[in-house]
Amino acid sequence: MSKPTDAQLRVEVGDVPVWERALPVLPYLFLLLPATFALLGNWRPMVLIVSLLALVWMALLYRPERLQGRLPLAIVYLVGMLAMLGVLVHADSLFSVTGVGLFLQIFTILPGKLAYAGVAATAAVLVLARPRSGQSTGDLIASFLVAVLIASATGLLFTTIANQSEQRRQLIADLRRTSAELAALAEQNAELQARLLTSAREAGVLGERQRLAREIHDTIAQGLTGIVTQAEAAEDDPATARTRLTAIGGLARESLAEARRSIHALRPGPLQDSDLTSALEKVAADWSTAGGVPATVTVTGDPLALHPEVEATLLRVAQEALANVTKHAAATQVVVTLTYLDDVVALDIHDDGRGFVPRSDGGTGSFGLVVMRQRVARLAGSLVVESAPGRGTAISATIPVIPPVSEVRE
């Protein structure tokens, strides 16, 4: 996720309170206004010169961001301002207003208790520099204490407001940072979603290719195998050629119909107008007629209504197993058993053929068995193949009982 840019996090002018934007200008106003009125009332070159010096001193040194953390420089600046403030107040009491501006500066450049010490020093200069005009020492002390109290209270209020303003700015910056991060995260999620959609499309295309491969293998390939077998038998025994040709024609028509149904993702032909048991019996009977090997179908347990996908998968497994018997087993008998249990349905196909040695990794190298495993696995089922040379082969497919869609909705 990309980091927010400085432009996204900067504090806008509108985020800074008006009083805070005016704060840097106030010390200059508190010096210029009394200087203007003092000079208009009584022109004195000394007042003009000291006022200009104070303005230059302030313009050169008063930078809160520079004076904060640099105590010696801040003290030098404050001492210089107090010296010039004393001269101006002594010349004209109007410059007592300049002390207010200096109070504000003190709280921006001096930390903690030092700020109150600076306030006390400024109040002392304001009280002592003014012409006495008959005031007693008690009056001076009272004036000093009042000035310190007012300035300290004002400074405390100013500091509190400034801290709250800083917290507000920090909160705004944090919110902007969070907003920018969320925006970046949303953009990243959009990119990820686009990638996932692309992956899903690719997976869908691959799944559809695999489905077509299985359907073609279970229909056209098996039909062609049967046709080849019948043709070879007709060549070996011309007397049965007519019967074989009839069987070849039937296989070709059935394979064509199955191919069309598979393309349109419809149920296998034997299941179109019958239940799973009848469909298995028909497949076994047709296979026995074509190959001359007896195949019996046995059903145990109470038949259950199954989801069409479960029935289609079990029927395809039976068809593929019988096709493998024709191609590889040289069997004399095949037994097909369909077993209904409470939560699973099992299909077992056992032949007494030549058998084989299963691979150590559980595979067989047969595409037909791979297709059977894929079909069963799609329904969270399992396929077990047991075989040994000279002892035939047993294939067992077990699939969880999944009721038809109408029953699930009920």
Side-chain angles (χ1 to χ4, degrees):
M1 182 176 63
S2 59
K3 293 184 177 180
T5 63
D6 293 338
Q8 293 173 313
L9 300 180
R10 68 177 182 272
V11 178
E12 303 292 343
V13 175
D15 297 332
V16 181
V18 176
W19 70 269
E20 195 169 344
R21 296 202 299 271
L23 184 60
V25 183
L26 289 179
Y28 295 95
L29 292 178
F30 284 127
L31 178 59
L32 287 173
L33 289 177
T36 300
F37 286 108
L39 292 173
L40 288 176
N42 185 9
W43 178 262
R44 286 161 289 183
M46 184 271 295
V47 173
L48 177 60
I49 293 172
V50 176
S51 298
L52 291 176
L53 286 175
L55 283 173
V56 173
W57 184 259
M58 195 183 304
L60 291 177
L61 295 182
Y62 181 60
R63 299 285 188 277
E65 65 278 2
R66 184 175 65 178
L67 295 178
Q68 290 172 353
R70 301 177 67 180
L71 187 58
L73 184 59
I75 292 176
V76 169
Y77 169 74
L78 183 59
V79 170
M81 285 300 299
L82 287 176
M84 288 180 281
L85 177 63
V87 173
L88 292 173
V89 170
H90 184 72
D92 197 319
S93 58
L94 283 174
F95 284 97
S96 297
V97 177
T98 306
V100 178
L102 191 56
F103 287 146
L104 296 178
Q105 295 180 59
I106 288 172
F107 281 101
T108 61
I109 64 176
L110 292 181
K113 295 180 180 180
L114 285 177
Y116 294 97
V119 166
T122 304
V125 170
L126 291 175
V127 172
L128 297 175
R130 293 180 66 178
R132 291 291 179 106
S133 65
Q135 288 182 326
S136 63
T137 303
D139 292 336
L140 293 177
I141 295 174
S143 298
F144 168 75
L145 292 177
V146 170
V148 170
L149 179 61
I150 295 175
S152 298
T154 304
L156 180 60
L157 179 62
F158 167 78
T159 303
T160 302
I161 295 175
N163 290 337
Q164 292 178 348
S165 179
E166 179 62 27
Q167 291 175 358
R168 177 176 174 270
R169 279 198 299 268
Q170 185 62 42
L171 179 60
I172 292 174
D174 291 341
L175 289 175
R176 284 208 174 97
R177 183 180 296 104
T178 302
S179 177
E181 290 175 352
L182 289 175
L185 182 60
E187 183 180 355
Q188 186 180 27
N189 286 340
E191 294 177 358
L192 181 59
Q193 185 177 14
R195 293 177 186 173
L196 289 176
L197 288 175
T198 301
S199 300
R201 292 193 199 97
E202 294 175 352
V205 172
L206 178 60
E208 185 62 16
R209 288 175 178 173
Q210 292 177 342
R211 183 191 74 81
L212 289 175
R214 289 192 298 267
E215 294 297 335
I216 291 173
H217 176 270
D218 291 343
T219 55
I220 298 175
Q222 290 181 7
L224 292 176
T225 299
I227 290 173
V228 171
T229 301
Q230 293 296 326
E232 291 176 347
E235 291 179 355
D236 296 338
D237 187 3
T240 62
R242 183 175 295 278
T243 301
R244 301 294 184 183
L245 287 175
T246 301
I248 289 172
L251 287 172
R253 286 188 293 272
E254 184 176 350
S255 296
L256 179 60
E258 285 288 356
R260 289 171 176 169
R261 291 189 187 97
S262 298
I263 291 173
H264 294 285
L266 298 177
R267 301 184 72 191
L271 288 173
Q272 289 292 325
D273 301 312
S274 60
D275 57 20
L276 178 59
T277 300
S278 300
L280 286 174
E281 291 174 347
K282 182 179 184 305
V283 167
D286 292 344
W287 179 82
S288 295
T289 300
V293 177
T296 59
V297 177
T298 303
V299 179
T300 61
D302 297 327
L304 300 172
L306 300 174
H307 192 282
E309 187 68 18
V310 176
E311 293 184 342
T313 297
L314 293 173
L315 184 65
R316 292 304 192 195
V317 168
Q319 289 176 319
E320 178 59 30
L322 293 174
N324 284 343
V325 171
T326 300
K327 290 185 286 185
H328 309 296
T332 60
Q333 185 177 6
V334 176
V335 176
V336 179
T337 304
L338 181 64
T339 304
Y340 291 95
L341 301 175
D342 292 337
D343 54 352
V344 297
V345 58
L347 178 68
D348 298 288
I349 303 97
H350 180 266
D351 68 74
D352 60 355
R354 62 170 61 99
F356 62 94
V357 179
R359 283 165 34 181
S360 59
D361 59 0
T364 63
S366 168
F367 179 73
L369 286 174
V370 172
V371 170
M372 281 193 281
R373 290 187 189 279
Q374 290 177 346
R375 283 185 175 278
V376 173
R378 287 179 62 245
L379 299 178
S382 62
L383 185 77
V384 178
V385 179
E386 297 179 353
S387 184
R391 302 184 61 179
T393 301
I395 296 176
S396 177
T398 304
I399 298 176
V401 172
I402 304 176
V405 175
S406 59
E407 293 188 14
V408 172
R409 291 178 178 175
E410 292 175 1

